[in-house]
Amino acid sequence: TRNRPQFLQSAVASALSQTLAPLEVIVVDDGAGAAETLRGLSGIVTVLDNHQHGPVPARILGVTRCKADCIAFLDDDDWWTDRNYLETSAALFEDGADFCFGDGTLVFDDGRPDLAFAFDADVASLERDNTILISAVSYRRSLHAKLGRFDPALPFYWDWDWYLRVARSGARLAHLAEPVVAIRVHGQNMSGETLEAQRRANLDLLTAKHGLPPIPLKNHLSLAQEKT
């Protein structure tokens, strides 16, 4: 989270309302004030200070400090809409999955109608597009022992890089083909148009790292719009 207390409370509430209670809820604060915002949950939620080192170090810090066998991410401006999400994911892990991802709904702050985001994913598709929502991802923590940490050189596409590394490793991917998360679309999204030049440069680094041909610059909104 980073300086968005009005969003953070909804995100945490959706995690705490799951039918399968999370073993731990870790909030990594890349700004200031998260601990005060969540003061009433101090015995339930752990808040870590990332000292404004950025989004990828924040993820790494959270993963490093977690104790659970499986990790689920939730950005501060999103919220889980399916109260059974963690319980369903746990069943898939019990069945042998290494990495799970669900569908979502794009929710617009400007009042536009919601837009469904529903894609499958495998190695071939991930070499073309990032069709996975980070706030609908859960995976076995042991994947980090095999594949390493997230790449700080890819602040915009660290998640896509991670998905490619996981898929290419032969890990078993499981798709929850139902909406489990709401993704808030607003002016502060990192995939917004104001950051287009930085995103383009970072996408070029991603394609070079993975030996991929040039990929058109897209975001989850444009992918969902293409599908409609």
Side-chain angles (χ1 to χ4, degrees):
T1 186
R2 184 179 175 88
N3 302 337
R4 296 195 287 218
Q6 73 279 19
F7 295 161
L8 176 60
Q9 291 176 324
S10 296
V12 171
S14 74
L16 297 178
S17 67
Q18 289 287 299
T19 55
L20 177 63
L23 176 66
E24 55 189 349
V25 176
I26 297 175
V27 174
V28 184
D29 191 357
D30 195 47
E36 177 65 21
T37 298
L38 302 173
R39 181 173 52 181
L41 300 173
S42 59
I44 304 170
V45 177
T46 299
V47 178
L48 305 178
D49 189 348
N50 192 50
H51 301 288
Q52 300 186 41
H53 288 157
V56 181
R59 307 275 183 177
I60 293 172
L61 175 60
V63 167
T64 301
R65 292 287 296 273
C66 78
K67 302 179 180 67
D69 293 331
C70 297
I71 296 166
F73 280 124
L74 182 61
D75 286 350
D76 65 353
D77 51 350
D78 305 331
W79 67 97
W80 289 330
T81 54
D82 182 356
R83 293 187 64 243
N84 298 311
Y85 167 54
L86 293 184
E87 187 171 359
T88 303
S89 299
L92 291 170
F93 289 125
E94 288 289 333
D95 196 40
D98 300 302
F99 181 101
C100 302
F101 61 99
D103 298 335
T105 304
L106 304 185
V107 179
F108 299 88
D109 272 4
D110 61 10
R112 279 178 286 171
D114 295 350
L115 187 61
F117 189 95
F119 295 88
D120 204 349
D122 56 21
V123 174
S125 70
L126 289 169
E127 290 177 345
R128 299 188 301 269
D129 289 309
N130 178 7
T131 55
I132 298 178
L133 300 168
I134 188 59
S135 291
V137 160
S138 57
Y139 62 91
R140 295 186 185 275
R141 186 169 55 131
S142 59
L143 287 174
H144 285 292
K146 180 179 181 180
L147 303 173
R149 296 181 172 185
F150 307 127
D151 189 347
L154 296 168
F156 292 92
Y157 295 108
W158 67 271
D159 54 342
W160 194 352
D161 170 65
W162 178 242
Y163 307 152
L164 278 166
R165 288 156 61 192
V166 169
R168 286 176 166 179
S169 75
R172 181 180 170 187
L173 276 58
H175 179 201
L176 286 70
E178 57 189 44
V180 301
V181 68
I183 306 296
R184 196 187 307 267
V185 182
H186 56 90
Q188 297 179 32
N189 291 119
M190 284 192 68
S191 57
E193 294 180 0
T194 58
L195 300 171
E196 184 172 334
Q198 297 174 55
R199 290 172 52 226
R200 178 71 263 174
N202 218 225
L203 183 56
D204 290 343
L205 285 177
L206 175 80
T207 56
K209 177 177 179 177
H210 289 277
L212 302 175
I215 295 175
L217 189 64
K218 302 178 183 179
N219 57 26
H220 287 135
L221 174 57
S222 61
L223 285 171
Q225 290 172 330
E226 286 177 4
K227 193 172 182 180
T228 58

